[in-house]
Amino acid sequence: LRESVPRRWRDLVFHCLPNKLRDQLRIHWANSSIDWRNDSVLSLPTDAHGLIRVNLKGRDPGGKVSPGAEYQEVCRKIRQALKNLTDTQTGKPVVHEVFLTDEIFPGPARDFLPDLIVSWRNGKKIDQVASEELGSIGGELPDPRSGNHRSEGFALMYGPGVTKGNNAEGHLLDIAPTVLRFYGHDVPAS
């Protein structure tokens, strides 16, 4: 029913709703395709990013995959299958890297994160991909963006200790420790 109403009209109605209701509807629509009782692996609803969660016993509702060796094997297979995906027109890989969250974001809130994070190669639009493990997959993406945020960016700073005209380089992961140090807090190992 929702899809039969033109997008422009849906957007007009949606923006008239209170924020709390809009958030609840977004969560409902994003999660409505997840079958926690039957799916072992889930593609998390995101804005064109590759975030994958393994439906882990003891962590997720209706967990299907056992922690330990089975979990590690599932992650290994997914990682390898994604890294083997190629653009059928160019033969080039479409995935730059598949990161295991346990390796790059360990810490006390780790279970709130996906298990695998896909970093797509930036480039031209891809209509079809293929691999030995997954076969051929094609279709029209609703969004023309690649799914990656770019690593380049900038931050404007003002205040005591900030040197005028300083073009210091850093990494996105430097922001949280910098803010913590600024306010006199220790930076946790995680």
Side-chain angles (χ1 to χ4, degrees), residues 8-19 22 26:
R8 192 172 59 113
W9 294 2
R10 283 185 282 148
D11 289 345
L12 286 171
V13 171
F14 189 72
H15 290 296
C16 293
L17 299 174
N19 284 339
R22 284 196 281 182
R26 276 190 194 106

Side-chain angles (χ1 to χ4, degrees), residues 2-75:
R2 178 178 175 264
E3 294 303 318
S4 66
V5 177
R7 174 74 187 239
R8 192 172 59 113
W9 294 2
R10 283 185 282 148
D11 289 345
L12 286 171
V13 171
F14 189 72
H15 290 296
C16 293
L17 299 174
N19 284 339
K20 186 174 182 176
L21 180 57
R22 284 196 281 182
D23 288 344
Q24 290 172 339
L25 287 171
R26 276 190 194 106
I27 290 168
H28 170 74
W29 291 326
N31 293 309
S32 62
S33 65
I34 295 176
D35 184 354
W36 290 101
R37 284 176 273 147
N38 296 309
D39 294 340
S40 296
V41 178
L42 313 156
S43 174
L44 295 178
T46 63
D47 187 22
H49 301 284
L51 303 179
I52 300 166
R53 186 158 178 104
V54 176
N55 193 0
L56 194 62
K57 290 179 183 174
R59 179 187 71 185
D60 298 314
K64 302 288 285 178
V65 177
S66 297
E70 183 182 9
Y71 169 79
Q72 290 171 358
E73 180 64 10
V74 167
C75 288

Side-chain angles (χ1 to χ4, degrees), residues 153-159 162-168 175 178-179:
F154 67 94
L156 302 175
M157 297 185 288
Y158 174 82
V162 176
T163 308
K164 184 178 180 179
N166 184 2
N167 286 334
I175 293 174
T178 301
V179 171

Side-chain angles (χ1 to χ4, degrees), residues 5 17 69 77-78 85 97 109 122 159 168 188:
V5 177
L17 299 174
K77 284 181 177 179
I78 294 169
L85 280 175
E97 184 58 77
N122 287 322

Side-chain angles (χ1 to χ4, degrees), residues 142-164:
D143 191 327
R145 298 172 296 167
S146 70
N148 282 346
H149 287 280
R150 299 184 61 89
S151 59
E152 303 82 24
F154 67 94
L156 302 175
M157 297 185 288
Y158 174 82
V162 176
T163 308
K164 184 178 180 179

Side-chain angles (χ1 to χ4, degrees), residues 38 90 121 126 137 142 159 166-167 181 183 186:
N38 296 309
T90 66
R121 290 197 185 277
I126 298 170
I137 304 165
N166 184 2
N167 286 334
R181 282 192 193 103
Y183 285 104
D186 292 331

